[in-house]
Amino acid sequence: MEKKVSRICPVSDPSTTYFLQITWEKDLGVGFDVILTDGQLAWAGRVTEDEISKEAADMEMEREKYIEELQKVLLFRGQTDKYNFDISKGEASGECLNFSYEKNLKDVSFRLGSMDLQAVSSPAETIREMISYCLHSIMGLQTKNEDLRKENERLLSDVDDLQGQLLKCVEAKEELETELYKRFILVLNEKKAKIRSLQQCLKEAKEATEGPTLKRD
Amino acid sequence: MEKKVSRICPVSDPSTTYFLQITWEKDLGVGFDVILTDGQLAWAGRVTEDEISKEAADMEMEREKYIEELQKVLLFRGQTDKYNFDISKGEASGECLNFSYEKNLKDVSFRLGSMDLQAVSSPAETIREMISYCLHSIMGLQTKNEDLRKENERLLSDVDDLQGQLLKCVEAKEELETELYKRFILVLNEKKAKIRSLQQCLKEAKEATEGPTLKRD
Amino acid sequence: SSETKEHFACKYDRYGDSYTADTDMAQLKGLFSRMSNLR
């Protein structure tokens, strides 16, 4: 079960603060429960799947599109300035309250939905549950934060390690090249020395051969 | 200004839930405000710096140590099972309420502090502020979460990049080594061929020289 | 013996590489690895 608690200020009385709690199963489109409280009293109601379909049909809006709009306005997944809420109390007793929500377009706004909420018998219990839910969310987020922070630290150290290894690898590659060339030069120069000495021997051998022949000539 | 909201169940009536809000400036030791609410009514009070010093002295506990204990019990920074809370209502009117907190040791618990709280005139306002603070904390943590998650993603891609670069570097090193050896072998074998041919020439030259001499001999 | 030394000195350079026999990857690697760290 999913829950979302938000702070709203009704357009008809922006100075007052209400807290809106939406509870739903996986898909908002199969219906959702609404709780509204001003910190003292609380009202509750439910929007059923059929009412959602009827509302979408009345607005000649595709059902999926309409549910998307509901998610934006009620779960605050859209731009908050594009949506308004309004609350009007039925009788003075405050037993019943009408809650409506609308979308602002440029110069016009159209109602996305409205519903009558009934006062709950024990508002204190409802408020306690709402605050407990908030504290539970805070704990969950703090734990998630801590996990992410630790994961970050681990990744940072991985990045450090890899940068170190990469540096070492680059150095090792340069060193390998230098070392191989050094060895190759030594071995090659041995051959060159050998060639020089053989050429010298050959030269002398030729002189030795040509020498007597020259004399005889 | 720092704030902490927690859910507590008084030992004398574990089935009831209260919410404890502690507000303090940087250092808890310079005093703190307490608000307690059951979701309907609310009580408030303050513990001053002097009262903290007096309490520590009465317990013959070093002030710093005492403040540490206060942080653990009131800000839930310790093990929650080591601390208890208790609430007792003064008159029936609920105007005044005594709030106490104690530390459990093995088979004994000692009181860390107690204070009288006065009922607030507008509990709804206090409760609204508490819920608003919780929602504000949730938003802050969600933002922090999002930042950490993005940072995580960035670091993960850095790790991927570095692993790719390291792999490339290792391959480049192996390739370099193979290439250099191939070239070295070509050049070296050229020289060896030269040496073989020089040795062959020298051998023939010597035979040519020794040939006639041999005949003459 | 000095003869043996003489014999090998004709055929191999001071690092043990033959003057005349062609070398290959394995031999050259072995040769280089036997050449102590030249630093």
Side-chain angles (χ1 to χ4, degrees):
Chain A
M1 188 177 69
E2 314 267 345
K3 201 178 268 194
K4 171 80 178 170
V5 176
S6 316
R7 189 164 174 275
I8 62 171
C9 300
V11 278
S12 54
D13 182 0
S15 64
T16 56
T17 296
Y18 284 82
F19 297 97
L20 172 67
Q21 179 178 296
I22 305 289
T23 314
W24 73 101
E25 291 308 325
K26 279 192 193 52
D27 166 17
L28 199 67
V30 295
F32 53 90
D33 294 310
V34 178
I35 284 180
L36 211 54
T37 177
D38 61 1
Q40 186 145 29
L41 301 173
W43 299 267
R46 175 167 179 78
V47 174
T48 64
E49 187 167 8
D50 294 347
E51 283 162 335
I52 290 173
S53 306
K54 185 177 172 311
E55 199 73 59
D58 292 354
M59 270 190 268
E60 290 166 22
M61 196 189 274
E62 211 201 296
R63 193 171 191 282
E64 287 320 306
K65 180 87 184 82
Y66 178 63
I67 290 168
E68 244 176 69
E69 286 300 323
L70 286 181
Q71 283 172 339
K72 285 179 185 168
V73 62
L74 298 174
L75 309 184
F76 285 66
R77 289 183 186 164
Q79 283 157 277
T80 43
D81 59 343
K82 287 179 78 174
Y83 298 95
N84 282 341
F85 298 94
D86 210 356
I87 288 167
S88 55
K89 280 180 180 158
E91 318 86 51
S93 68
E95 271 308 299
C96 174
L97 171 146
N98 182 272
F99 168 60
S100 61
Y101 32 100
E102 57 188 27
K103 179 170 187 174
N104 305 326
L105 296 177
K106 275 200 199 58
D107 42 8
V108 75
S109 60
F110 67 92
R111 174 159 293 192
L112 278 170
S114 81
M115 56 192 297
D116 287 336
L117 302 175
Q118 303 306 320
V120 301
S121 52
S122 150
E125 177 61 25
T126 305
I127 290 169
R128 281 199 292 272
E129 279 168 11
M130 187 181 280
I131 299 176
S132 298
Y133 168 75
C134 289
L135 293 180
H136 182 70
S137 303
I138 288 172
M139 295 245 269
L141 285 165
Q142 282 168 337
T143 309
K144 178 80 186 140
N145 251 337
E146 191 51 24
D147 295 348
L148 283 168
R149 217 184 40 71
K150 283 191 185 124
E151 172 75 0
N152 261 356
E153 262 171 30
R154 193 182 61 73
L155 287 169
L156 266 173
S157 83
D158 286 355
V159 165
D160 275 356
D161 289 351
L162 284 164
Q163 278 167 340
Q165 286 177 46
L166 187 58
L167 201 64
K168 274 204 197 99
C169 180
V170 169
E171 284 164 359
K173 180 165 167 280
E174 283 155 10
E175 194 170 326
L176 170 80
E177 189 169 6
T178 311
E179 289 302 310
L180 287 181
Y181 271 115
K182 273 188 199 166
R183 285 164 171 70
F184 177 59
I185 288 166
L186 288 171
V187 173
L188 187 61
N189 286 345
E190 286 292 298
K191 305 299 168 300
K192 293 187 174 185
K194 182 73 175 176
I195 287 170
R196 281 198 299 277
S197 82
L198 284 170
Q199 282 170 339
Q200 184 55 30
C201 295
L202 196 57
K203 183 165 164 272
E204 284 157 9
K206 280 194 177 155
E207 278 160 7
T209 322
E210 280 146 15
T213 323
L214 266 180
K215 270 188 202 133
R216 209 174 44 230
D217 294 353
Chain B
M1 188 178 68
E2 313 266 346
K3 201 178 269 194
K4 171 79 177 170
V5 176
S6 315
R7 187 166 177 273
I8 61 170
C9 301
V11 278
S12 55
D13 181 3
S15 64
T16 55
T17 296
Y18 284 82
F19 297 98
L20 171 66
Q21 179 179 295
I22 305 289
T23 314
W24 73 100
E25 292 308 325
K26 280 190 192 52
D27 165 17
L28 197 66
V30 297
F32 53 89
D33 293 310
V34 178
I35 283 181
L36 211 53
T37 177
D38 60 2
Q40 186 143 28
L41 302 174
W43 299 267
R46 178 169 177 73
V47 175
T48 64
E49 189 166 8
D50 294 347
E51 283 161 336
I52 290 172
S53 306
K54 184 177 173 310
E55 199 71 58
D58 292 354
M59 274 190 268
E60 290 167 23
M61 194 189 275
E62 207 199 295
R63 193 172 193 282
E64 287 321 306
K65 180 85 182 82
Y66 178 63
I67 290 167
E68 246 176 68
E69 286 300 324
L70 286 182
Q71 284 172 339
K72 285 179 185 170
V73 61
L74 297 176
L75 309 184
F76 285 69
R77 288 183 187 164
Q79 284 158 276
T80 44
D81 58 340
K82 287 180 78 172
Y83 298 94
N84 283 340
F85 298 94
D86 210 357
I87 291 168
S88 53
K89 282 184 180 151
E91 318 86 53
S93 68
E95 271 307 302
C96 172
L97 172 147
N98 181 272
F99 169 60
S100 60
Y101 33 101
E102 57 188 24
K103 180 171 186 174
N104 305 326
L105 297 179
K106 275 200 198 60
D107 41 9
V108 72
S109 60
F110 67 91
R111 175 160 290 192
L112 278 171
S114 82
M115 56 192 297
D116 287 336
L117 301 176
Q118 303 306 320
V120 302
S121 53
S122 151
E125 178 59 26
T126 304
I127 289 168
R128 282 199 291 271
E129 278 169 12
M130 186 182 280
I131 298 176
S132 298
Y133 168 74
C134 289
L135 293 181
H136 182 68
S137 304
I138 288 172
M139 296 245 268
L141 285 164
Q142 282 168 336
T143 309
K144 179 80 184 137
N145 241 326
E146 193 50 24
D147 296 348
L148 284 167
R149 217 183 42 69
K150 284 190 185 124
E151 170 76 0
N152 240 332
E153 265 171 26
R154 194 183 59 74
L155 287 168
L156 268 171
S157 84
D158 286 357
V159 166
D160 274 356
D161 290 352
L162 284 164
Q163 278 167 339
Q165 287 178 48
L166 187 58
L167 203 61
K168 276 205 194 95
C169 180
V170 169
E171 283 164 1
K173 181 164 167 281
E174 281 155 9
E175 225 167 274
L176 168 79
E177 188 174 8
T178 309
E179 274 314 301
L180 284 178
Y181 272 109
K182 277 185 190 159
R183 294 197 178 114
F184 291 167
I185 288 163
L186 287 176
V187 172
L188 214 45
N189 286 346
E190 278 291 305
K191 298 295 177 262
K192 291 173 182 234
K194 178 75 181 168
I195 289 169
R196 286 197 299 274
S197 83
L198 282 170
Q199 282 179 343
Q200 183 56 28
C201 296
L202 194 58
K203 189 164 159 268
E204 285 158 9
K206 279 191 178 160
E207 278 160 7
T209 321
E210 278 145 16
T213 320
L214 268 179
K215 270 187 201 133
R216 207 174 42 231
D217 297 351
Chain C
S1 69
S2 57
E3 286 77 18
T4 317
K5 241 187 224 169
E6 182 81 16
H7 167 73
F8 277 109
C10 280
K11 293 201 174 295
Y12 297 92
D13 67 14
R14 77 178 77 177
Y15 302 106
D17 180 38
S18 159
Y19 281 118
T20 52
D22 276 355
T23 188
D24 61 21
M25 187 81 82
Q27 279 179 23
L28 193 56
K29 278 193 177 180
L31 176 74
F32 281 0
S33 64
R34 286 193 299 275
M35 291 168 78
S36 64
N37 197 319
L38 302 163
R39 201 192 302 284

mmCIF file of all heavy atoms in Angstrom, chain B residues 157-186:
data_model
loop_
_atom_site.group_PDB
_atom_site.id
_atom_site.type_symbol
_atom_site.label_atom_id
_atom_site.label_comp_id
_atom_site.label_asym_id
_atom_site.label_seq_id
_atom_site.Cartn_x
_atom_site.Cartn_y
_atom_site.Cartn_z
ATOM 1 N N SER B 157 29.657 5.405 -13.411
ATOM 2 C CA SER B 157 30.117 5.537 -14.802
ATOM 3 C C SER B 157 31.606 5.860 -14.825
ATOM 4 O O SER B 157 32.335 5.407 -15.696
ATOM 5 C CB SER B 157 29.296 6.596 -15.528
ATOM 6 O OG SER B 157 29.806 7.859 -15.283
ATOM 7 N N ASP B 158 32.078 6.602 -13.809
ATOM 8 C CA ASP B 158 33.538 6.842 -13.716
ATOM 9 C C ASP B 158 34.278 5.507 -13.558
ATOM 10 O O ASP B 158 35.295 5.262 -14.198
ATOM 11 C CB ASP B 158 33.865 7.732 -12.500
ATOM 12 C CG ASP B 158 33.477 9.185 -12.743
ATOM 13 O OD1 ASP B 158 33.018 9.468 -13.872
ATOM 14 O OD2 ASP B 158 33.587 10.003 -11.813
ATOM 15 N N VAL B 159 33.738 4.657 -12.677
ATOM 16 C CA VAL B 159 34.388 3.353 -12.451
ATOM 17 C C VAL B 159 34.396 2.582 -13.771
ATOM 18 O O VAL B 159 35.423 2.033 -14.176
ATOM 19 C CB VAL B 159 33.643 2.568 -11.349
ATOM 20 C CG1 VAL B 159 34.047 1.101 -11.326
ATOM 21 C CG2 VAL B 159 33.914 3.193 -9.985
ATOM 22 N N ASP B 160 33.249 2.612 -14.484
ATOM 23 C CA ASP B 160 33.196 1.904 -15.781
ATOM 24 C C ASP B 160 34.257 2.452 -16.727
ATOM 25 O O ASP B 160 35.019 1.703 -17.331
ATOM 26 C CB ASP B 160 31.814 2.117 -16.410
ATOM 27 C CG ASP B 160 30.830 1.067 -15.892
ATOM 28 O OD1 ASP B 160 31.298 0.184 -15.135
ATOM 29 O OD2 ASP B 160 29.643 1.139 -16.218
ATOM 30 N N ASP B 161 34.300 3.798 -16.822
ATOM 31 C CA ASP B 161 35.281 4.413 -17.741
ATOM 32 C C ASP B 161 36.696 3.984 -17.376
ATOM 33 O O ASP B 161 37.472 3.555 -18.215
ATOM 34 C CB ASP B 161 35.205 5.952 -17.638
ATOM 35 C CG ASP B 161 33.917 6.491 -18.243
ATOM 36 O OD1 ASP B 161 33.206 5.680 -18.859
ATOM 37 O OD2 ASP B 161 33.619 7.684 -18.062
ATOM 38 N N LEU B 162 36.998 4.093 -16.090
ATOM 39 C CA LEU B 162 38.376 3.783 -15.653
ATOM 40 C C LEU B 162 38.705 2.313 -15.921
ATOM 41 O O LEU B 162 39.798 1.975 -16.349
ATOM 42 C CB LEU B 162 38.548 4.115 -14.164
ATOM 43 C CG LEU B 162 38.672 5.611 -13.868
ATOM 44 C CD1 LEU B 162 38.451 5.882 -12.387
ATOM 45 C CD2 LEU B 162 40.042 6.139 -14.305
ATOM 46 N N GLN B 163 37.705 1.445 -15.668
ATOM 47 C CA GLN B 163 37.971 0.013 -15.927
ATOM 48 C C GLN B 163 38.239 -0.192 -17.415
ATOM 49 O O GLN B 163 39.152 -0.917 -17.803
ATOM 50 C CB GLN B 163 36.781 -0.843 -15.476
ATOM 51 C CG GLN B 163 36.820 -1.132 -13.982
ATOM 52 C CD GLN B 163 35.518 -1.698 -13.436
ATOM 53 O OE1 GLN B 163 34.456 -1.528 -14.051
ATOM 54 N NE2 GLN B 163 35.589 -2.326 -12.278
ATOM 55 N N GLY B 164 37.484 0.536 -18.244
ATOM 56 C CA GLY B 164 37.706 0.444 -19.699
ATOM 57 C C GLY B 164 39.093 0.943 -20.061
ATOM 58 O O GLY B 164 39.837 0.298 -20.801
ATOM 59 N N GLN B 165 39.449 2.102 -19.491
ATOM 60 C CA GLN B 165 40.784 2.678 -19.791
ATOM 61 C C GLN B 165 41.886 1.732 -19.323
ATOM 62 O O GLN B 165 42.868 1.509 -20.000
ATOM 63 C CB GLN B 165 40.948 4.020 -19.086
ATOM 64 C CG GLN B 165 40.144 5.167 -19.701
ATOM 65 C CD GLN B 165 40.327 6.443 -18.899
ATOM 66 O OE1 GLN B 165 41.452 6.813 -18.571
ATOM 67 N NE2 GLN B 165 39.221 7.090 -18.560
ATOM 68 N N LEU B 166 41.687 1.130 -18.144
ATOM 69 C CA LEU B 166 42.721 0.237 -17.593
ATOM 70 C C LEU B 166 42.881 -0.974 -18.507
ATOM 71 O O LEU B 166 44.002 -1.367 -18.850
ATOM 72 C CB LEU B 166 42.319 -0.187 -16.183
ATOM 73 C CG LEU B 166 43.349 -0.990 -15.396
ATOM 74 C CD1 LEU B 166 44.650 -0.219 -15.261
ATOM 75 C CD2 LEU B 166 42.821 -1.367 -14.024
ATOM 76 N N LEU B 167 41.748 -1.494 -18.955
ATOM 77 C CA LEU B 167 41.793 -2.658 -19.844
ATOM 78 C C LEU B 167 42.561 -2.288 -21.124
ATOM 79 O O LEU B 167 43.474 -2.993 -21.560
ATOM 80 C CB LEU B 167 40.356 -3.069 -20.190
ATOM 81 C CG LEU B 167 40.150 -4.514 -20.616
ATOM 82 C CD1 LEU B 167 40.558 -5.454 -19.498
ATOM 83 C CD2 LEU B 167 38.705 -4.758 -21.032
ATOM 84 N N LYS B 168 42.190 -1.100 -21.663
ATOM 85 C CA LYS B 168 42.860 -0.653 -22.892
ATOM 86 C C LYS B 168 44.357 -0.508 -22.651
ATOM 87 O O LYS B 168 45.183 -0.911 -23.460
ATOM 88 C CB LYS B 168 42.282 0.716 -23.331
ATOM 89 C CG LYS B 168 41.004 0.599 -24.134
ATOM 90 C CD LYS B 168 40.803 1.831 -25.037
ATOM 91 C CE LYS B 168 39.384 1.840 -25.559
ATOM 92 N NZ LYS B 168 38.503 2.690 -24.707
ATOM 93 N N CYS B 169 44.702 0.034 -21.502
ATOM 94 C CA CYS B 169 46.124 0.273 -21.205
ATOM 95 C C CYS B 169 46.865 -1.058 -21.119
ATOM 96 O O CYS B 169 47.947 -1.219 -21.681
ATOM 97 C CB CYS B 169 46.262 1.035 -19.895
ATOM 98 S SG CYS B 169 47.962 1.353 -19.462
ATOM 99 N N VAL B 170 46.254 -2.032 -20.466
ATOM 100 C CA VAL B 170 46.902 -3.358 -20.342
ATOM 101 C C VAL B 170 47.067 -3.965 -21.741
ATOM 102 O O VAL B 170 48.130 -4.458 -22.108
ATOM 103 C CB VAL B 170 46.054 -4.268 -19.434
ATOM 104 C CG1 VAL B 170 46.533 -5.705 -19.492
ATOM 105 C CG2 VAL B 170 46.088 -3.754 -17.998
ATOM 106 N N GLU B 171 45.975 -3.857 -22.551
ATOM 107 C CA GLU B 171 46.072 -4.418 -23.907
ATOM 108 C C GLU B 171 47.162 -3.692 -24.699
ATOM 109 O O GLU B 171 47.978 -4.308 -25.380
ATOM 110 C CB GLU B 171 44.718 -4.282 -24.624
ATOM 111 C CG GLU B 171 43.702 -5.315 -24.155
ATOM 112 C CD GLU B 171 42.270 -4.954 -24.543
ATOM 113 O OE1 GLU B 171 42.077 -3.898 -25.194
ATOM 114 O OE2 GLU B 171 41.353 -5.698 -24.162
ATOM 115 N N ALA B 172 47.193 -2.348 -24.550
ATOM 116 C CA ALA B 172 48.188 -1.552 -25.302
ATOM 117 C C ALA B 172 49.593 -1.970 -24.885
ATOM 118 O O ALA B 172 50.499 -2.113 -25.714
ATOM 119 C CB ALA B 172 47.973 -0.072 -25.034
ATOM 120 N N LYS B 173 49.759 -2.228 -23.609
ATOM 121 C CA LYS B 173 51.083 -2.634 -23.097
ATOM 122 C C LYS B 173 51.483 -3.974 -23.727
ATOM 123 O O LYS B 173 52.592 -4.151 -24.224
ATOM 124 C CB LYS B 173 51.013 -2.749 -21.571
ATOM 125 C CG LYS B 173 52.304 -3.137 -20.903
ATOM 126 C CD LYS B 173 52.226 -2.837 -19.404
ATOM 127 C CE LYS B 173 53.350 -3.495 -18.628
ATOM 128 N NZ LYS B 173 53.083 -4.939 -18.380
ATOM 129 N N GLU B 174 50.517 -4.902 -23.743
ATOM 130 C CA GLU B 174 50.834 -6.231 -24.327
ATOM 131 C C GLU B 174 51.132 -6.081 -25.823
ATOM 132 O O GLU B 174 52.077 -6.640 -26.355
ATOM 133 C CB GLU B 174 49.676 -7.195 -24.098
ATOM 134 C CG GLU B 174 49.671 -7.752 -22.679
ATOM 135 C CD GLU B 174 48.279 -8.191 -22.224
ATOM 136 O OE1 GLU B 174 47.367 -8.212 -23.071
ATOM 137 O OE2 GLU B 174 48.123 -8.460 -21.033
ATOM 138 N N GLU B 175 50.336 -5.246 -26.477
ATOM 139 C CA GLU B 175 50.514 -5.038 -27.923
ATOM 140 C C GLU B 175 51.879 -4.416 -28.194
ATOM 141 O O GLU B 175 52.624 -4.852 -29.072
ATOM 142 C CB GLU B 175 49.421 -4.067 -28.394
ATOM 143 C CG GLU B 175 48.742 -4.487 -29.692
ATOM 144 C CD GLU B 175 47.489 -3.657 -29.874
ATOM 145 O OE1 GLU B 175 46.445 -4.054 -29.322
ATOM 146 O OE2 GLU B 175 47.620 -2.587 -30.507
ATOM 147 N N LEU B 176 52.215 -3.437 -27.370
ATOM 148 C CA LEU B 176 53.505 -2.746 -27.535
ATOM 149 C C LEU B 176 54.631 -3.766 -27.436
ATOM 150 O O LEU B 176 55.537 -3.817 -28.260
ATOM 151 C CB LEU B 176 53.654 -1.683 -26.453
ATOM 152 C CG LEU B 176 55.059 -1.084 -26.331
ATOM 153 C CD1 LEU B 176 55.268 -0.053 -27.421
ATOM 154 C CD2 LEU B 176 55.299 -0.480 -24.967
ATOM 155 N N GLU B 177 54.523 -4.608 -26.412
ATOM 156 C CA GLU B 177 55.588 -5.598 -26.186
ATOM 157 C C GLU B 177 55.725 -6.514 -27.410
ATOM 158 O O GLU B 177 56.823 -6.706 -27.940
ATOM 159 C CB GLU B 177 55.260 -6.420 -24.945
ATOM 160 C CG GLU B 177 56.394 -7.333 -24.526
ATOM 161 C CD GLU B 177 56.092 -8.042 -23.192
ATOM 162 O OE1 GLU B 177 54.943 -7.919 -22.703
ATOM 163 O OE2 GLU B 177 57.006 -8.691 -22.677
ATOM 164 N N THR B 178 54.589 -6.993 -27.904
ATOM 165 C CA THR B 178 54.626 -7.899 -29.067
ATOM 166 C C THR B 178 55.224 -7.184 -30.273
ATOM 167 O O THR B 178 56.112 -7.710 -30.955
ATOM 168 C CB THR B 178 53.195 -8.367 -29.394
ATOM 169 O OG1 THR B 178 52.610 -8.857 -28.192
ATOM 170 C CG2 THR B 178 53.183 -9.433 -30.460
ATOM 171 N N GLU B 179 54.736 -5.968 -30.518
ATOM 172 C CA GLU B 179 55.231 -5.207 -31.671
ATOM 173 C C GLU B 179 56.735 -4.987 -31.588
ATOM 174 O O GLU B 179 57.476 -5.187 -32.545
ATOM 175 C CB GLU B 179 54.517 -3.841 -31.728
ATOM 176 C CG GLU B 179 53.195 -3.866 -32.465
ATOM 177 C CD GLU B 179 53.272 -4.610 -33.784
ATOM 178 O OE1 GLU B 179 54.073 -4.204 -34.653
ATOM 179 O OE2 GLU B 179 52.587 -5.653 -33.905
ATOM 180 N N LEU B 180 57.171 -4.580 -30.409
ATOM 181 C CA LEU B 180 58.620 -4.297 -30.270
ATOM 182 C C LEU B 180 59.429 -5.573 -30.531
ATOM 183 O O LEU B 180 60.401 -5.568 -31.278
ATOM 184 C CB LEU B 180 58.914 -3.753 -28.868
ATOM 185 C CG LEU B 180 58.522 -2.284 -28.628
ATOM 186 C CD1 LEU B 180 58.818 -1.879 -27.198
ATOM 187 C CD2 LEU B 180 59.250 -1.354 -29.593
ATOM 188 N N TYR B 181 58.980 -6.674 -29.935
ATOM 189 C CA TYR B 181 59.723 -7.939 -30.149
ATOM 190 C C TYR B 181 59.748 -8.286 -31.647
ATOM 191 O O TYR B 181 60.786 -8.678 -32.183
ATOM 192 C CB TYR B 181 59.092 -9.075 -29.347
ATOM 193 C CG TYR B 181 59.655 -9.170 -27.945
ATOM 194 C CD1 TYR B 181 58.898 -8.821 -26.839
ATOM 195 C CD2 TYR B 181 60.978 -9.573 -27.734
ATOM 196 C CE1 TYR B 181 59.409 -8.882 -25.559
ATOM 197 C CE2 TYR B 181 61.510 -9.644 -26.455
ATOM 198 C CZ TYR B 181 60.723 -9.294 -25.372
ATOM 199 O OH TYR B 181 61.262 -9.340 -24.102
ATOM 200 N N LYS B 182 58.629 -8.123 -32.310
ATOM 201 C CA LYS B 182 58.592 -8.460 -33.743
ATOM 202 C C LYS B 182 59.651 -7.642 -34.478
ATOM 203 O O LYS B 182 60.451 -8.162 -35.257
ATOM 204 C CB LYS B 182 57.206 -8.134 -34.330
ATOM 205 C CG LYS B 182 56.166 -9.228 -34.099
ATOM 206 C CD LYS B 182 54.873 -8.864 -34.818
ATOM 207 C CE LYS B 182 53.726 -9.802 -34.421
ATOM 208 N NZ LYS B 182 52.411 -9.166 -34.714
ATOM 209 N N ARG B 183 59.681 -6.351 -34.197
ATOM 210 C CA ARG B 183 60.632 -5.475 -34.896
ATOM 211 C C ARG B 183 62.063 -5.851 -34.521
ATOM 212 O O ARG B 183 62.947 -5.952 -35.354
ATOM 213 C CB ARG B 183 60.346 -4.019 -34.553
ATOM 214 C CG ARG B 183 59.000 -3.588 -35.097
ATOM 215 C CD ARG B 183 58.807 -2.103 -35.174
ATOM 216 N NE ARG B 183 57.490 -1.841 -35.766
ATOM 217 C CZ ARG B 183 56.495 -1.281 -35.104
ATOM 218 N NH1 ARG B 183 56.655 -0.943 -33.852
ATOM 219 N NH2 ARG B 183 55.338 -1.075 -35.676
ATOM 220 N N PHE B 184 62.262 -6.051 -33.230
ATOM 221 C CA PHE B 184 63.619 -6.416 -32.779
ATOM 222 C C PHE B 184 64.083 -7.669 -33.529
ATOM 223 O O PHE B 184 65.204 -7.755 -34.004
ATOM 224 C CB PHE B 184 63.615 -6.699 -31.269
ATOM 225 C CG PHE B 184 63.398 -5.501 -30.396
ATOM 226 C CD1 PHE B 184 63.100 -5.643 -29.052
ATOM 227 C CD2 PHE B 184 63.491 -4.203 -30.911
ATOM 228 C CE1 PHE B 184 62.904 -4.528 -28.230
ATOM 229 C CE2 PHE B 184 63.291 -3.092 -30.106
ATOM 230 C CZ PHE B 184 62.990 -3.254 -28.763
ATOM 231 N N ILE B 185 63.207 -8.641 -33.623
ATOM 232 C CA ILE B 185 63.594 -9.931 -34.229
ATOM 233 C C ILE B 185 63.978 -9.729 -35.699
ATOM 234 O O ILE B 185 65.008 -10.215 -36.173
ATOM 235 C CB ILE B 185 62.435 -10.945 -34.078
ATOM 236 C CG1 ILE B 185 62.349 -11.380 -32.601
ATOM 237 C CG2 ILE B 185 62.620 -12.149 -34.990
ATOM 238 C CD1 ILE B 185 61.046 -12.041 -32.240
ATOM 239 N N LEU B 186 63.177 -8.895 -36.373
ATOM 240 C CA LEU B 186 63.494 -8.650 -37.802
ATOM 241 C C LEU B 186 64.882 -8.033 -37.948
ATOM 242 O O LEU B 186 65.730 -8.523 -38.705
ATOM 243 C CB LEU B 186 62.442 -7.700 -38.406
ATOM 244 C CG LEU B 186 61.056 -8.324 -38.658
ATOM 245 C CD1 LEU B 186 60.079 -7.262 -39.163
ATOM 246 C CD2 LEU B 186 61.171 -9.467 -39.660
#
